[in-house]
Amino acid sequence: MAVAALLCLSILQFIGAVLPNAPLLCVATAGGLALDLSLRHWRPGVLTVLTRLHCDEAVRQLLRDLLTVIGLAHLSGIGTVPRLILVGALLACYAAHFACRALGVLVRRTRTLPIVTRNIDTGPLGLCPAPPRPLVRPGRRMPLFSVPGTAGLLATVLTDNALWGLLGVGVSLALFASAAAYLSTWLLPGKRPPGEQRVLAWFRDWLDSYRPDVGIYFSGGGGTAYQANMWLSTLAALDGHPLVVLRERPMVQQIAATDLPIVCLPRVAHLMLLEHSSLRMLLHPANAPKTSQVLRIPTIKHAFTNHGESDKLSSCNPYAKVYDQVWVAGPAARRRYALADVGVDDRDVVEVGRPQLAPIRPRTGPPDPGGPWNVLYAPTWEGWTDAPGNTSVLLAGEHLVRALLADPRVRLLYKPHPMTGSVDRRAGEADARIRALIARANAAPRAPGGAPPAGAGAAPGHDASRAALAAELARRTAELNELTARWSRPGADEAERMMRQQAPPPGRAEAVAAATEAWRAAFWAAQPPGAHLILTGSRPDIYSCFNQADLLISDVSSVVADYLASAKPYAVVNTSGLTDDAFRAANPTTRAATILGPDAAGVPELLASLADPARDTLARERTRLKEYLLGPSEPPSQVRFQRAVHALCAAADARRARQARLAGGGAELPIPRPQGGGVGGRRRA
């Protein structure tokens, strides 16, 4: 629509210039420029498409100016000399624009540092703020600085006075020339960022002073940061000096609020600097193509932690055998690797529990038989394969939601996976229909016995109470946002963010934890008790939803295993086409679950077990399955995790000591005899 409008205005401008028709020419030209500027602010995606079609801002403005000059030649009676001066000044504007554009490219390149950091003091580098955005982004500069020139030319067309055109074009030329001159100052020594060698030397000095010992390594695209974020609190709780190592520049700002130092090493050559540091081990929450690059560093031990455990094939990926160790929650994962027979040596599998599940509160007793019951429906996404059982959203989602909404005792909490619909658009469409069902249910009167919709028949005192709760939530949100905000301003680049996002003040992590807990309490208190909720984004987090839920309905995913920490009832949707018995046999996490089919026919019976605890026959099995999946409660998971860290770091130290003795001319070490047929033993210290 917007592209069509630009095209129509250009055609009208052409007609106005050729007829000639001064009012039509002026209106079409001014409208085209105004629309161009508006799209830059409101619909930048449209202009991105035009740029890909080689119709960028310079081409569009050149077309407008060319048609205006044609109209000027047909309509005005100004002499040849003023007309040539106007054209020459316009050409000078374009020359200054392209000079500014070339300078912008140079400035961006010089300010693209080889290493990007966060939560690290970069004072020794002497970084400075980035240039104003219009100077380095031509998409804003060209149409904006052309406004005086276009206005002056149109005034000349209407008044037949060349002075207006000369004045307007002169102002535009001054703007373009001043922008180029000002931008060139970022190439002078006072503002020019340090070179590659100086940055690398600074980074080596920082490694020597900080002396990291354990870190997390992550590489991924947009939308995958949650895989690393779930391990930040566990890493921060470790003894020593932890570190976050990233490979993609945009990921630096996608990592959640943390006090941990973050370094991004995009190039393999710079990644190898870690070989000569004190870093002894890295945790890997995900497999990625760039993982093989860091595995080349022999001084570092590597443990694969995954970003969650489930019965999916991805939880026993054959790639796991390249790591020194595979850390799992409990015996279930160990058995999963053994049955999968993908080359992971059982001796390299270490059970550490799931330390990040500490915020999940265990069940204190059955819910009120009469309700209301919070039922959390948290389906997973469609995944990279077309297996029908990946997500229940496609085949069962709408049936489940309708069945749950039909019971007036149910308050539905719908939290879809953030990547739903990213691979299969049908999943995204089904998700949209589910949200529409929930919205209609909230708008309709509740059945007798159910809580009324938000605000229905509320007393004035109740309204005041809800307003107070909403105000408290807004205050807590502002407080948490202020604590977790990663400083930025429009136009800030990586170098400026590095300069601003320095080492956090002492106590910030504790303040963020307290503010997060206060926000959770305020959020749930502020929700209307009779309203079903659609929960998206990072807040509230899934563990906070677990604490509110009386029942979980999900798919085969890590959500099920994590929810078992609460020992509450749960159901798993079977859309795989297998029989229920075969489904349970293939997926051990469903052993203590109610199995629901695509038609959701079992929902009434499932809800009946909430009303009558005597019908909850799986309670004892959930307790046994919890230990099988997550390991024992004692010692705590964080303690077991810390012990595993110490053991793997000790193995790294032992290897370094052996290599030092060899380098120093010590006795030749005996060649160990191979033991067993496992592949994982190849990297054992």
Side-chain angles (χ1 to χ4, degrees), residues 195-226:
E196 179 177 323
Q197 294 306 315
R198 183 182 166 191
V199 173
L200 296 180
W202 164 82
F203 182 62
R204 292 190 193 96
D205 292 341
W206 179 82
L207 287 174
D208 292 341
S209 62
Y210 180 67
R211 298 196 59 77
D213 47 15
V214 58
I216 185 172
Y217 176 91
F218 187 73
S219 172
T224 63
Y226 72 94

Side-chain angles (χ1 to χ4, degrees), residues 244-302:
V244 178
V245 180
L246 306 174
R247 300 302 308 282
E248 288 78 24
R249 295 174 182 270
M251 191 60 64
V252 174
Q253 300 305 316
Q254 295 177 31
I255 294 296
T258 179
D259 285 1
L260 297 172
I262 299 172
V263 298
C264 177
L265 304 167
R267 293 182 56 190
V268 179
H270 302 152
L271 181 68
M272 293 300 123
L273 293 174
L274 299 178
E275 180 177 359
H276 305 290
S277 72
S278 58
L279 190 63
R280 295 182 287 174
M281 66 163 291
L282 284 171
L283 305 172
H284 296 260
N287 295 311
K290 293 181 181 179
T291 300
S292 61
Q293 298 171 352
V294 76
L295 292 176
R296 303 176 189 177
I297 302 179
T299 59
I300 299 176
K301 293 293 182 181
H302 302 269

Side-chain angles (χ1 to χ4, degrees), residues 70 265 319 415 555:
I70 292 175
L265 304 167
Y319 192 83
K415 190 170 180 63
D555 304 324

Side-chain angles (χ1 to χ4, degrees), residues 212-215 238-240 278-283 299-303 325 327 641-656 685:
D213 47 15
V214 58
L238 295 174
D239 299 336
S278 58
L279 190 63
R280 295 182 287 174
M281 66 163 291
L282 284 171
L283 305 172
T299 59
I300 299 176
K301 293 293 182 181
H302 302 269
Q325 292 181 350
W327 291 5
F641 194 88
Q642 181 73 72
R643 290 175 182 173
V645 168
H646 287 164
L648 196 53
C649 285
D653 290 340
R655 184 197 177 279
R656 294 189 185 197

Side-chain angles (χ1 to χ4, degrees), residues 55 74 129 139 170 233 247 350 395 470 644 673:
C55 184
H74 288 172
S233 60
R247 300 302 308 282
V350 181
L395 300 179
R673 295 181 181 275

Side-chain angles (χ1 to χ4, degrees), residues 579-592:
T579 65
D580 286 356
D581 290 341
F583 185 68
R584 287 186 191 274
N587 303 290
T589 54
T590 66
R591 200 167 67 192

